[in-house]
Amino acid sequence: MNTFDLGFLAKLMKSVDFVDMTFNVLNLEEEECRKKLVCEMDNTSAQNPIMKYLMESFKVNLEKYRPVHNLNATLKQDCDFLYPECKRSLSPVNLNLLNF
């Protein structure tokens, strides 16, 4: 009987950086804009339990895009002020990522 190796799947899932993969799909190459998107999604997740769960699921991969003072994403921030170099409109609502 064939069995599915869940350990292999778990190792595979940990080895793939879904955060960077998503940024690449969104054609979001500038680190400043990646940080801004994470900031905006952190702000949005405070009011959206599904988004909060997703953001918690990828917490380790998101840390490099969060400021040191907010690694736990507990503070609501002015993302435009923090990342003025990024001129793109990155609101998750504008990207239609939150239409649950």
Side-chain angles (χ1 to χ4, degrees):
M1 175 186 248
N2 290 338
T3 60
F4 190 74
D5 185 357
L6 292 178
F8 172 75
L9 182 60
K11 286 179 189 176
L12 178 66
M13 294 296 285
K14 287 181 181 179
S15 71
V16 175
D17 187 343
F18 287 104
V19 172
D20 283 332
M21 186 184 313
T22 301
F23 287 145
N24 291 335
V25 168
L26 293 172
N27 198 26
L28 200 61
E29 296 178 15
E30 306 86 7
E31 187 164 331
E32 190 85 0
C33 289
R34 289 179 178 204
K35 289 179 179 181
K36 185 175 179 181
L37 178 60
V38 171
C39 176
E40 290 177 343
M41 293 181 81
D42 283 340
N43 288 346
T44 301
S45 68
Q47 291 86 32
N48 186 315
I50 295 171
M51 179 58 75
K52 185 173 183 134
Y53 175 78
L54 289 172
M55 296 298 281
E56 284 293 318
S57 299
F58 295 106
K59 181 178 181 176
V60 172
N61 297 84
L62 292 170
E63 286 178 353
K64 62 185 170 188
Y65 298 111
R66 289 188 174 125
V68 175
H69 70 274
N70 200 28
L71 286 179
N72 292 323
T74 55
L75 304 172
K76 184 168 175 84
Q77 303 178 87
D78 182 347
C79 304
D80 289 326
F81 177 77
L82 288 172
Y83 306 105
E85 306 256 329
C86 182
K87 303 299 182 199
R88 295 175 65 176
S89 176
L90 301 172
S91 168
V93 174
N94 291 341
L95 291 173
N96 293 319
L97 293 176
L98 298 178
N99 291 333
F100 296 112

